[in-house]
Amino acid sequence: MKKIFLLFVITVLLVSCGNNDKVVLRDSIGKINKVLVVTKSSDWEGSLGKEIRNSFGELMVGLPQPESMLSVSQVAPNGFGTMMRVSRNILVIGIGDEEKYFVKNNIYAQPQTVIYVYAKDDEGVVKMFKKHEKEIIKTFIQSDIDRTQSLFRKNKLDDTQFKTLQNLGISLTIHDKFNTVDDTGEFLWLRHHLSSGIAKTGSNNILVYSIPLEDETKVSDNIVAVRNRIGKKYIPGSDPEKMYMITEEAYTPFTFDAVIDGKKAYETRGKWEVKNDFMAGPFLNYTVVDKKNNRLVVFEGFTYAPSVNKRAFLFELEAIAKSMKIQ
């Protein structure tokens, strides 16, 4: 009787598995902005590896210390076992029967992005990588943006508590470690006190405000002047009469075209400093052209974390900025 019952249970389990197309995947692992490259060691030590390292190792603009856009590690195909396969970002590259480039998600774990690049010979593989390198970097960074926003949504601050966001008709996915410094109804300043390692004396900061849209052709040219004006008005130093935030005069910020909430925007990266003081750090500014409301919506994040790398802190602010929704 026990044998019959056991056979019945096994049959039910097999049928249930056969009728369920969903496979429960493990949680992916790995730090943000890190990519595991699966390729032969000889390729990694040759021209292909050099091309990948140079591409992923391009320095981020606006940081006081040199930091690459993406960190990278390599494993040979025969070493790409169970533990390696749960990495969050994976690039599989090498020789195949034909030229191929494609992206797949959540193959071995979730969330996970796996990019495949194949060509018929070594020279072709390098060419295929160079052809798609910008798209590859963009895909991995967007994957990490999505992942970061997903984590923040689990502990999201309630937008309704901020007068400025309500008045401006803006929503953002901000995690609940940020505290209010100032919320006037026209200007919002939030601060997250960093609590890990040597950066525990530092902070991540968010500013949100809007200004009238006057001449759309001059928006990008005026970003530095606007942030200096806002810094003098709202971000004082220990002596408000003489000390306030400005754009670092010895470093020219970089401005790029961007899109936020489907709207034209400008992304500016540079360094801030406190006038007549020694405080400084990197900033990330998104100026969004909101034609519907005849205004510019500005999100700025800036970091103060002396003596430590700051890529991860700026990336957190970037993920929050790109969650913006404008009514």
Side-chain angles (χ1 to χ4, degrees):
M1 187 68 181
K2 289 182 178 179
K3 289 183 178 179
I4 295 174
F5 178 75
L6 182 59
L7 286 171
F8 173 77
V9 171
I10 292 173
T11 302
V12 170
L13 288 174
L14 289 173
V15 171
S16 298
C17 291
N19 290 334
N20 187 0
D21 292 333
K22 281 193 173 182
V23 177
V24 179
L25 296 173
R26 294 175 57 184
D27 291 335
S28 59
I29 60 174
K31 294 182 178 179
I32 294 294
N33 299 143
K34 183 166 185 179
V35 178
L36 175 66
V37 179
V38 183
T39 193
K40 293 188 302 181
S41 296
S42 58
D43 289 340
W44 185 247
E45 293 165 3
S47 57
L48 175 61
K50 181 179 179 180
E51 197 67 46
I52 294 173
R53 290 190 295 274
N54 287 343
S55 181
F56 289 2
E58 183 178 341
L59 298 182
M60 290 187 65
V61 300
L63 296 181
Q65 295 104 343
E67 296 184 64
S68 61
M69 294 179 63
L70 294 169
S71 300
V72 62
S73 60
Q74 177 263 343
V75 63
N78 59 6
F80 187 51
T82 303
M83 290 300 296
M84 295 291 189
R85 289 181 181 178
V86 294
S87 299
R88 181 174 297 115
N89 294 321
I90 301 173
L91 171 63
V92 181
I93 185 167
I95 295 176
D97 295 333
E98 57 182 320
E99 289 189 350
K100 286 184 180 179
Y101 168 81
F102 57 97
V103 181
K104 288 193 174 183
N105 297 310
N106 305 335
I107 299 177
Y108 310 107
Q110 62 179 357
Q112 184 182 62
T113 299
V114 185
I115 298 178
Y116 296 86
V117 180
Y118 295 116
K120 294 181 179 181
D121 54 38
D122 292 340
E123 185 179 349
V125 174
V126 174
K127 287 182 178 179
M128 278 291 285
F129 175 76
K130 292 178 72 172
K131 178 181 178 181
H132 295 283
E133 63 178 333
K134 290 184 179 180
E135 187 178 351
I136 290 170
I137 292 172
K138 183 178 179 180
T139 299
F140 282 134
I141 290 177
Q142 186 58 52
S143 173
D144 283 341
I145 290 285
D146 294 341
R147 170 61 173 166
T148 302
Q149 291 175 344
S150 175
L151 292 173
F152 290 172
R153 278 193 292 270
K154 295 178 181 179
N155 298 288
K156 180 181 181 295
L157 285 175
D158 181 5
D159 287 340
T160 61
Q161 68 180 291
F162 302 116
K163 294 184 296 183
T164 301
L165 295 186
Q166 292 301 296
N167 290 345
L168 297 181
I170 296 171
S171 67
L172 291 160
T173 301
I174 307 172
H175 64 74
D176 60 6
K177 292 182 181 179
F178 278 89
N179 298 301
T180 304
V181 179
D182 199 2
D183 183 15
T184 68
E186 297 179 347
F187 174 83
L188 176 66
W189 180 2
L190 302 178
R191 175 182 289 153
H192 169 206
H193 289 284
L194 304 174
S195 59
S196 60
I198 195 171
K200 62 185 178 182
T201 58
S203 64
N204 245 9
N205 298 264
I206 291 172
L207 311 177
V208 182
Y209 56 92
S210 74
I211 60 173
L213 173 60
E214 296 176 350
D215 185 347
E216 189 176 343
T217 64
K218 296 181 179 180
V219 172
S220 62
D221 295 332
N222 293 333
I223 289 172
V224 169
V226 170
R227 73 175 310 278
N228 286 346
R229 187 169 71 244
I230 293 296
K232 185 175 183 178
K233 182 176 181 180
Y234 291 108
I235 317 292
S238 55
D239 182 348
E241 294 297 321
K242 299 179 180 179
M243 300 178 180
Y244 46 85
M245 177 184 280
I246 61 172
T247 306
E248 184 176 305
E249 295 176 343
Y251 183 91
T252 302
F254 290 81
T255 298
F256 313 90
D257 291 337
V259 176
I260 298 290
D261 192 27
K263 298 174 177 60
K264 181 179 180 180
Y266 296 94
E267 174 186 311
T268 303
R269 292 176 182 265
K271 299 175 186 176
W272 61 271
E273 62 182 355
V274 175
K275 189 176 180 65
N276 298 317
D277 200 355
F278 297 102
M279 293 182 68
F283 74 84
L284 172 68
N285 177 297
Y286 285 96
T287 298
V288 186
V289 180
D290 181 15
K291 289 186 178 181
K292 176 183 175 182
N293 297 297
N294 197 35
R295 63 180 180 171
L296 300 174
V297 175
V298 181
F299 174 104
E300 178 160 322
F302 68 93
T303 298
Y304 178 64
S307 305
V308 298
N309 289 337
K310 301 168 183 62
R311 181 182 72 179
F313 303 138
L314 264 290
F315 192 80
E316 173 183 300
L317 296 170
E318 180 180 351
I320 294 171
K322 290 181 175 178
S323 73
M324 182 187 295
K325 302 295 180 185
I326 302 174
Q327 294 179 4

